[in-house]
């Protein structure tokens, strides 16, 4: 209950005059049987819960979403389900994200895709700069996954959200 809401995290960024955040998602592996098809991710080939998160430009995780069964959604639809692009646009925050969020919203900046052949040098340079900034967001999820309680969850999948938000709250209180 003490974990920050999405609105609180975005406004905290806006108050610190930060104009962007890093959006990323991860799938937390759970032990489920084959009868629970909504939890099975074909991409990852295991049962899991999709979590979305925002990190500040320094790589500190500032918000984590409630979990959605991994078989039901990809990163783009999970971000839309949590209204992340809409709320970030209201707070005038740009979101840097990976290719999984391509064409999510106007304020979500993703790397350029190569449609036919190779990208030209300016586009490759832009993708390199994007990756250098976005790598900080990967650090945010790495610190979340460093708590090994999320390595393989053996409880109800709906408890993953509670565990992730508790970890987020503990990390903020230790700073």
């Amino acid at each position: 209950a003490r974990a920050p809401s999405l609105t609180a995290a975005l406004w905290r960024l806006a108050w610190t005059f930060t104009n962007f955040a890093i959006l990323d998602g991860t799938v937390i592996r759970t032990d489920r049987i084959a009868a629970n098809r909504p939890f099975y991710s074909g991409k990852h080939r295991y049962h899991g819960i999709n979590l979305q998160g925002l990190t500040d430009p320094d790589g500190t995780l500032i918000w984590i979403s409630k979990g959605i069964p991994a078989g039901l959604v990809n990163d783009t639809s999970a971000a839309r389900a949590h209204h992340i692009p809409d709320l970030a646009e209201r707070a005038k925050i740009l979101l840097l994200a990976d290719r999984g969020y391509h064409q999510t919203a106007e304020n979500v900046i993703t790397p350029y895709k190569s449609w036919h052949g190779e990208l030209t040098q300016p586009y490759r340079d832009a993708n390199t700069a994007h990756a250098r900034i976005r790598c900080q967001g990967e650090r945010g999820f790495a610190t979340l996954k460093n708590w090994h309680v999320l390595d393989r969850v053996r409880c109800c999948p709906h408890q993953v959200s509670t565990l992730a938000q508790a970890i987020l709250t503990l990390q903020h209180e230790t700073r």
Side-chain angles (χ1 to χ4, degrees), residues 149-168:
V149 70
L150 294 177
D151 283 347
R152 188 178 196 131
V153 179
R154 290 176 174 80
C155 60
C156 175
H158 301 292
Q159 295 297 319
V160 172
S161 301
T162 306
L163 290 171
Q165 290 178 346
I167 290 169
L168 175 66

Side-chain angles (χ1 to χ4, degrees), residues 2 12-13 16 20 37 40 44 48 60 66 89 92 104 123-124 129 134 138 141 149 166:
R2 295 176 60 185
R12 189 180 111 198
L13 284 173
T16 59
F20 74 95
R37 294 193 57 78
Y40 186 76
H44 298 285
T60 304
K66 300 263 188 221
E89 188 172 348
K92 296 187 179 7
T104 303
Y123 289 113
R124 283 187 290 194
R134 197 178 49 78
E138 300 295 335
F141 268 115
V149 70

Side-chain angles (χ1 to χ4, degrees), residues 7-29:
T7 306
L10 288 171
W11 285 111
R12 189 180 111 198
L13 284 173
W15 288 333
T16 59
F17 300 106
T18 303
N19 62 351
F20 74 95
I22 301 162
L23 173 64
D24 202 5
T26 189
V27 175
I28 302 296
R29 189 174 188 156

Side-chain angles (χ1 to χ4, degrees), residues 66-97:
K66 300 263 188 221
I68 298 177
L72 296 178
V73 295
N74 56 16
D75 283 341
T76 303
S77 57
R80 286 182 181 144
H82 293 295
H83 307 288
I84 299 169
D86 300 331
L87 292 173
E89 188 172 348
R90 280 191 223 151
K92 296 187 179 7
I93 302 286
L94 294 175
L95 299 172
L96 276 79

